């Protein structure tokens, strides 16, 4: 009995000294971190963002700074579809103070035209050069005839904002030069498009002017056309897009745009 008592006392002493289990410090840290990310570090999606997904995205290292993973690329359902023919990129509207274009019933002297010389440079910085999906630096022919180079498909330009009150617009697009180009003509598409927009950048699809195949040939000096129809009075700027090299028979051409001249008529 004397031998058993010391053993029982030892067991009771050890049992009394053992603390109740505590929450692991690392677990507490993760909980606090996740809560902070959700409230201040992650923008919720339309469905909401859970604590788990927010914490995961905050701790996952990117595989490459310059090459996004496939998960970060937009899906076809999230990519906006351009309303422009051919799926061309739509750019923001110009931001200049609109240029006032006089609207007339008659124009015997020709003084009411808005005339723009593009032989060697853009008239102002409010004009933009287009190449594919980007606004880029324009290139001009450096010979005497000059002109904005139209030597590759998907090139074009965007005008500044202008204001008029007419029911009909008249256009004279001066062709400064036409040169032979290599390659086989693309007979499957239109040569180009003129797209028209209102001041808010809305595309006025019913006013689109198509440059037909074989319109610009070796002796062409001018493209002349009218735009009429609903919303003509709302036109506030326009763009030209070269859809394919112009051609005649089996011969491709490059060409220069030397002038872009616009007149607004009160009546159709």
């Amino acid at each position: 009995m004397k031998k058993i008592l010391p053993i029982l006392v030892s067991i009771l002493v050890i049992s009394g000294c053992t603390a109740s289990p505590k929450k692991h410090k690392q677990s507490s840290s993760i909980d606090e971190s996740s809560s902070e990310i959700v409230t201040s570090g992650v923008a919720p999606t339309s469905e909401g963002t859970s604590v788990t997904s927010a914490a995961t995205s905050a701790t996952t290292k990117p595989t490459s700074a310059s090459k996004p993973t496939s998960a970060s690329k937009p899906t076809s359902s999230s990519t906006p579809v351009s309303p422009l023919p051919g799926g061309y990129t739509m750019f923001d509207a110009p931001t200049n103070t609109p240029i006032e274009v006089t609207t007339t019933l008659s124009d015997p002297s020709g003084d009411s035209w808005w005339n723009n010389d593009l032989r060697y440079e853009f008239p102002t910085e409010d004009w933009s050069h287009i190449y594919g999906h980007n606004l880029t630096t324009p290139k001009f022919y450096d010979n005497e005839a000059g002109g904005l180079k139209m030597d590759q498909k998907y090139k074009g330009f965007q005008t500044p904002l202008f204001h008029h009150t007419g029911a009909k617009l008249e256009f004279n697009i001066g062709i400064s030069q036409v040169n032979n180009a290599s390659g086989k003509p693309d007979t499957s598409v239109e040569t180009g498009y003129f797209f028209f927009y209102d001041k808010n950048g809305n595309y006025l699809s019913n006013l689109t002017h198509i440059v037909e195949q074989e319109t610009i040939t070796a002796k062409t000096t001018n493209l002349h056309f009218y735009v009429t129809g609903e919303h003509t009075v709302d036109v506030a700027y326009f763009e030209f897009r070269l859809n394919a090299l112009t051609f005649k028979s089996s011969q491709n051409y490059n060409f220069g745009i030397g002038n872009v001249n616009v007149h607004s008529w009160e009546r159709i």
Side-chain angles (χ1 to χ4, degrees), residues 196-209:
F196 297 88
Y197 306 84
D198 68 16
K199 64 182 180 180
N200 298 313
N202 297 310
Y203 169 50
L204 306 175
S205 60
N206 67 305
L207 303 181
T208 297
H209 178 77

Side-chain angles (χ1 to χ4, degrees), residues 94 96 99 114 116 124 126-128 158-162 236-238:
N96 63 290
I99 298 163
W114 177 38
N116 300 278
T124 69
D126 297 318
W127 290 72
S128 296
Q158 181 191 81
T159 71
L161 287 175
F162 61 91
Y237 69 99
F238 63 93

Side-chain angles (χ1 to χ4, degrees), residues 2-232:
K2 289 181 179 182
K3 291 182 180 181
I4 294 173
L5 281 173
I7 294 172
L8 290 173
V9 171
S10 299
I11 292 173
L12 289 173
V13 170
I14 292 171
S15 175
C17 292
T18 302
S20 59
K22 295 181 179 180
K23 191 175 184 180
H24 195 278
K25 188 173 182 179
Q26 182 64 27
S27 172
S28 175
S29 174
I30 291 175
D31 289 345
E32 291 169 4
S33 174
S34 298
S35 176
E36 182 180 357
I37 291 170
V38 171
T39 58
S40 63
V42 178
T45 64
S46 57
E47 293 80 20
T49 303
S50 67
V51 173
T52 303
S53 63
T56 303
S57 64
T59 56
T60 302
K61 294 181 180 180
T63 57
S64 171
S66 59
K67 295 181 180 180
T69 62
S70 58
S72 66
K73 295 179 181 178
T75 62
S76 58
S77 60
S78 64
T79 303
V81 178
S82 172
L84 301 177
Y88 277 97
T89 300
M90 285 189 67
F91 298 102
D92 292 338
T95 57
N96 63 290
T97 301
I99 298 163
E100 194 64 34
V101 176
T102 303
T103 298
T104 63
L105 183 58
S106 63
D107 185 37
S109 65
D111 292 337
S112 58
W113 281 78
W114 177 38
N115 296 319
N116 300 278
D117 189 339
L118 273 64
R119 287 178 297 169
Y120 307 109
E121 61 184 2
F122 277 149
T124 69
E125 63 183 8
D126 297 318
W127 290 72
S128 296
H129 181 257
I130 299 169
Y131 185 29
H133 302 295
N134 301 290
L135 300 179
T136 61
T137 302
K139 292 184 178 180
F140 298 83
Y141 287 103
D142 59 4
N143 55 23
E144 185 177 355
L148 179 65
K149 281 188 174 183
M150 290 291 109
D151 57 351
Q152 290 177 288
K153 63 180 182 179
Y154 308 133
K155 280 190 172 183
F157 64 83
Q158 181 191 81
T159 71
L161 287 175
F162 61 91
H163 175 261
H164 77 108
T165 58
K168 178 171 69 174
L169 288 170
E170 182 177 1
F171 297 87
N172 276 328
I173 310 299
I175 305 301
S176 57
Q177 59 185 289
V178 179
N179 306 304
N180 290 349
S182 60
K184 182 180 180 181
D186 185 351
T187 61
S188 65
V189 297
E190 312 292 355
T191 293
Y193 300 99
F194 284 88
F195 299 139
F196 297 88
Y197 306 84
D198 68 16
K199 64 182 180 180
N200 298 313
N202 297 310
Y203 169 50
L204 306 175
S205 60
N206 67 305
L207 303 181
T208 297
H209 178 77
I210 297 173
V211 180
E212 304 286 354
Q213 296 177 1
E214 300 186 286
T215 298
I216 302 172
T217 60
K219 295 183 179 181
T220 303
T221 59
N222 187 63
L223 290 182
H224 179 256
F225 61 93
Y226 295 92
V227 167
T228 61
E230 188 179 9
H231 300 302
T232 297

Side-chain angles (χ1 to χ4, degrees), residues 150-153 181-182 191 242-247 252-254:
M150 290 291 109
D151 57 351
Q152 290 177 288
K153 63 180 182 179
S182 60
T191 293
L242 183 64
N243 196 46
L245 289 183
T246 186
F247 66 91
N252 272 336
Y253 298 108
N254 297 325

